Amino acid sequence: MNPESTAAAEPVVHIRADRGNWDFHNLVRAPIQELVQFKELIRNTVVRDIKVRYKRSVLGIAWTIIAPLMQMIVMWTVFTKAFQVSMPNYALYLFSGIITWNLFSQSSVAGGASILGAAGLITKIKLPRVLFPLTAVINNLVNFSFAFAALLLLMVVTRAPFHWTMLSVPFMLLPLILFCMGWAMLVSALSVFFRDLQYILEIALGALFYATPIFWDPTALPAKWHWVASVNPLAKYVFMMKASIYHGVLPNFSTYAIATFTGLAMFVIGWIVFQRLQRKFIYWI
Amino acid sequence: MATSSLLTTPAVELKGVGVRYQLNLEKVFSLKELLVSKATRLGRQLRGREQQKTRRTADDFWAIRDISFSVPRGVCIGLTGRNGSGKSTTLKVISGVLHPTEGELWVRGRVSALIELGAGFNPDLTGRENIYFGASVSGLSRAETAKRIDRIVDFAELRDFIDMPVRNYSSGMYARLGFALATDVDPDLLIVDEVLSVGDAPFQQKCKDRMESFKKRNKTILFVSHDPQAIQDFCDTTIELKDGRINSPNP
Ligand SMILES: Nc1ncnc2c1ncn2[C@@H]1O[C@H](COP(=O)(O)OP(=O)(O)OP(=O)(O)O)[C@@H](O)[C@H]1O
Ligand SMILES: [Mg+2]
């Protein structure tokens, strides 16, 4: 026990300019303790972002449902009318893909910009900075649940069959959430140093959208394109979601294991990169 | 006095603290250029140019350097110096916002820093919502804030405006809410960076009274102000900064 802590239960902060040793305490325990201490702020940030986003709009929170529905209707019109796609319940097929994709793409855009966006707070107040990318993802998870309610409605309206496998949706979401959080931490930290990253990300997301089975059917993919679905982690997440909602089957164990491992790996990478870079943010913001 | 280490260990202790800003950051466009600039920096360091203790080199600027002092508990120290001498930078290092480039420091006890009033406020939220948000920024729970909110609103004298978006506040009202919120927490160490000058005269008096009461309760205070009178009234000792270094010996 160090002599300082014997005096009383008062907090003692010791800051050293050097990098410090990147042991379990610095990399894991201390940041998590901080996050727990600031759980109220995490909650407030999520609530505030939702409140502020729709405060001055007429339709308010309804936009979280209207926007993906519109996206779906446009795509449905294009693909059924112009390209003559004839899949049963194609609207549901599209919509389940779109809302899953949106969870990722909006998490990475909002999460990626979250540190630069919180510059005002970060340069003035001491708080656990990792909460910004994390709350951006939580925020989009809230959006996702609203959109999911719309999906249930869509199923009723289009008389799509309800499969019991839909109950597994939370389990399909879990690896994706880990992936989104890791990705948001990574991008938010790196874009402090490379501002171009946000523009690159936008373009990359545009390309990734087509490499993900949102409007196309991965089982109908020619063999020479199979690698796309296996390198693109998003393809797995969207595929798993559609399996449980649309196809009424559970993904096999190895698919789920790989998806979970990918999500976990992304989370760990994002966390480590973030924790290592965060001290330098204020010098670059 | 020396029976307990609580009384003998200083509240704040800085040893050779320095903060270096890299200028020309905007020139670093690509990874390649970043590596080149790192390499030239390393080269310069190896040749010992970094040892020259100038404040400014080709692409570096030391906002503060070799700052060493300690603040005993219950003492109010005033930081003075011209604009740009490094006062705010020093306070940011102590409050934990800015990680120093060199040196080390110890801060003992709970800290409340008034670097900028209402920094976490969101213009679209009401005063009340912002109090809850701002209190959670300093780590307070909802229940703890609920206990304090009446006192905060009364101190800020904003009862009639508290459910109005702070977008519609005057800058003085904004600052009042910020001050009331930041000083309602019960810190062991209070850091104040020239924020008292915003309110009107009666409110400034209230702020001074509150600072006095902090002093009476034996709290440690670090105070930056350009008002020599305020410094003289409050502070037990002063430290003058000049070009990022301490100009007067540590008392
Ligand atoms: N982000 C930054 N990048 C580069 N230089 C900076 C940055 N922030 C501060 N500085 C420099 O650091 C020096 C110290 O700034 P600081 O804000 O600590 O001064 P100060 O003593 O608080 O001045 P004032 O009395 O005007 O508040 C200044 O010369 C300033 O130019
Ligand atoms: Mg200043």
Side-chain angles (χ1 to χ4, degrees):
Chain A
M1 218 176 176
N2 63 40
E4 282 124 352
S5 61
T6 54
E10 65 162 8
V12 179
V13 180
H14 179 203
I15 301 173
R16 285 171 63 130
D18 56 23
R19 291 243 176 93
N21 41 349
W22 288 98
D23 51 11
F24 179 75
H25 176 80
N26 279 320
L27 212 49
V28 182
R29 196 183 327 142
I32 288 181
Q33 277 170 351
E34 263 194 328
L35 277 179
V36 171
Q37 191 198 337
F38 281 83
K39 57 181 183 299
E40 185 66 26
L41 178 59
I42 297 174
R43 213 187 66 100
N44 280 346
T45 309
V46 173
V47 173
R48 181 200 63 177
D49 285 352
I50 293 171
K51 266 193 198 162
V52 169
R53 181 143 28 112
Y54 300 113
K55 196 127 198 169
R56 297 215 256 171
S57 73
V58 181
L59 292 174
I61 202 104
W63 278 116
T64 52
I65 294 175
I66 299 168
L69 274 177
M70 286 302 174
Q71 230 175 321
M72 183 273 286
I73 290 169
V74 170
M75 284 169 71
W76 182 84
T77 313
V78 170
F79 289 109
T80 56
K81 302 290 181 244
F83 293 99
Q84 325 250 298
V85 174
S86 60
M87 217 187 268
N89 289 318
Y90 189 56
L92 176 64
Y93 186 83
L94 276 176
F95 198 63
S96 57
I98 288 172
I99 63 174
T100 311
W101 167 261
N102 282 358
L103 175 58
F104 169 73
S105 74
Q106 287 169 7
S107 289
S108 49
V109 171
S114 63
I115 291 298
L116 288 173
L121 272 181
I122 287 173
T123 54
K124 279 158 206 146
I125 296 170
K126 186 194 178 211
L127 33 70
R129 291 148 188 175
V130 75
L131 74 85
F132 296 106
L134 295 185
T135 50
V137 176
I138 296 173
N139 217 315
N140 279 297
L141 203 58
V142 175
N143 289 352
F144 177 87
S145 39
F146 282 112
F148 195 79
L151 179 129
L152 296 178
L153 206 68
L154 180 76
M155 290 178 77
V156 173
V157 172
T158 60
R159 301 224 172 82
F162 279 86
H163 304 288
W164 67 271
T165 50
M166 269 188 83
L167 297 174
S168 71
V169 163
F171 297 97
M172 303 298 127
L173 268 179
L174 212 60
L176 175 58
I177 293 166
L178 286 174
F179 188 86
C180 288
M181 286 181 163
W183 181 245
M185 288 188 282
L186 184 69
V187 176
S188 65
L190 293 179
S191 56
V192 172
F193 306 97
F194 304 101
R195 302 290 166 111
D196 308 20
L197 201 60
Q198 289 185 37
Y199 307 112
I200 298 171
L201 180 74
E202 250 169 69
I203 299 168
L205 281 175
L208 200 61
F209 177 86
Y210 292 98
T212 306
I214 294 161
F215 59 86
W216 49 269
D217 177 9
T219 55
L221 208 60
K224 66 169 178 173
W225 287 107
H226 276 174
W227 62 271
V228 172
S230 52
V231 269
N232 174 9
L234 262 302
K236 279 207 177 51
Y237 297 125
V238 170
F239 175 75
M240 278 164 36
M241 203 64 107
K242 284 185 168 177
S244 62
I245 296 172
Y246 178 84
H247 298 288
V249 294
L250 290 179
N252 60 33
F253 179 76
S254 75
T255 307
Y256 190 74
I258 292 172
T260 309
F261 178 78
T262 315
L264 211 55
M266 181 48 85
F267 189 91
V268 170
I269 292 170
W271 179 274
I272 291 174
V273 170
F274 193 96
Q275 297 299 342
R276 295 213 58 154
L277 291 179
Q278 60 146 337
R279 287 172 175 180
K280 290 189 187 158
F281 286 171
I282 188 167
Y283 291 92
W284 290 72
I285 267 174
Chain B
M1 274 289 268
T3 48
S4 149
S5 62
L6 228 171
L7 293 170
T8 50
T9 53
V12 181
E13 214 175 338
L14 277 78
K15 281 210 180 111
V17 169
V19 167
R20 180 183 63 206
Y21 282 108
Q22 276 157 269
L23 305 174
N24 308 328
L25 281 184
E26 63 279 8
K27 280 193 188 159
V28 181
F29 279 121
S30 67
L31 203 58
K32 187 185 115 209
E33 283 172 63
L34 182 72
L35 290 177
V36 169
S37 84
K38 281 263 184 228
T40 45
R41 175 186 298 281
L42 192 68
R44 219 178 276 132
Q45 249 162 356
L46 291 179
R47 288 200 308 275
R49 292 252 311 261
E50 208 70 58
Q51 294 307 311
Q52 286 177 10
K53 297 232 162 171
T54 49
R55 195 179 189 193
R56 184 174 189 154
T57 61
D59 44 20
D60 289 342
F61 181 80
W62 289 89
I64 53 173
R65 199 152 199 203
D66 283 338
I67 302 289
S68 304
F69 62 83
S70 61
V71 186
R73 286 160 203 270
V75 166
C76 176
I77 287 206
L79 274 182
T80 60
R82 302 279 316 260
N83 291 138
S85 56
K87 305 181 293 295
S88 299
T89 307
T90 308
L91 294 189
K92 279 185 180 173
V93 170
I94 295 171
S95 69
V97 170
L98 190 57
H99 194 83
T101 318
E102 56 176 37
E104 60 183 321
L105 64 143
W106 290 263
V107 180
R108 303 187 180 91
R110 277 181 309 144
V111 182
S112 177
L114 280 74
I115 305 276
E116 186 173 310
L117 291 177
F121 287 177
N122 188 297
D124 282 328
L125 298 182
T126 67
R128 187 184 305 278
E129 288 167 330
N130 270 307
I131 291 178
Y132 277 103
F133 187 81
S136 66
V137 165
S138 11
L140 285 188
S141 77
R142 199 164 181 83
E144 284 171 302
T145 314
K147 269 188 253 158
R148 296 157 193 254
I149 192 155
D150 283 325
R151 215 167 48 211
I152 295 172
V153 175
D154 284 338
F155 185 84
E157 300 170 35
L158 288 170
R159 181 133 314 275
D160 298 337
F161 301 91
I162 202 63
D163 290 308
M164 188 190 269
V166 299
R167 180 162 22 90
N168 303 340
Y169 282 21
S170 73
S171 51
M173 286 158 72
Y174 198 89
R176 263 154 55 173
L177 191 62
F179 184 86
L181 178 62
T183 55
D184 194 79
V185 296
D186 193 37
D188 303 306
L189 171 67
L190 183 69
I191 295 176
V192 183
D193 191 354
E194 39 173 3
V195 286
L196 298 185
S197 52
V198 254
D200 50 22
F203 188 73
Q204 275 193 33
Q205 190 52 47
K206 263 175 102 171
C207 294
K208 286 181 179 165
D209 294 345
R210 181 161 271 195
M211 299 255 307
E212 282 295 345
S213 92
F214 271 109
K215 271 188 72 177
K216 287 214 185 71
R217 280 179 288 149
N218 235 20
K219 308 287 185 183
T220 314
I221 303 177
L222 274 166
F223 183 54
V224 165
S225 174
H226 287 293
D227 174 6
Q229 191 59 44
I231 294 273
Q232 209 171 23
D233 288 350
F234 279 129
C235 302
D236 304 309
T237 55
T238 60
I239 294 173
E240 194 193 340
L241 293 183
K242 186 165 181 281
D243 296 334
R245 285 163 188 280
I246 291 182
N247 201 20
S248 59
N250 189 12

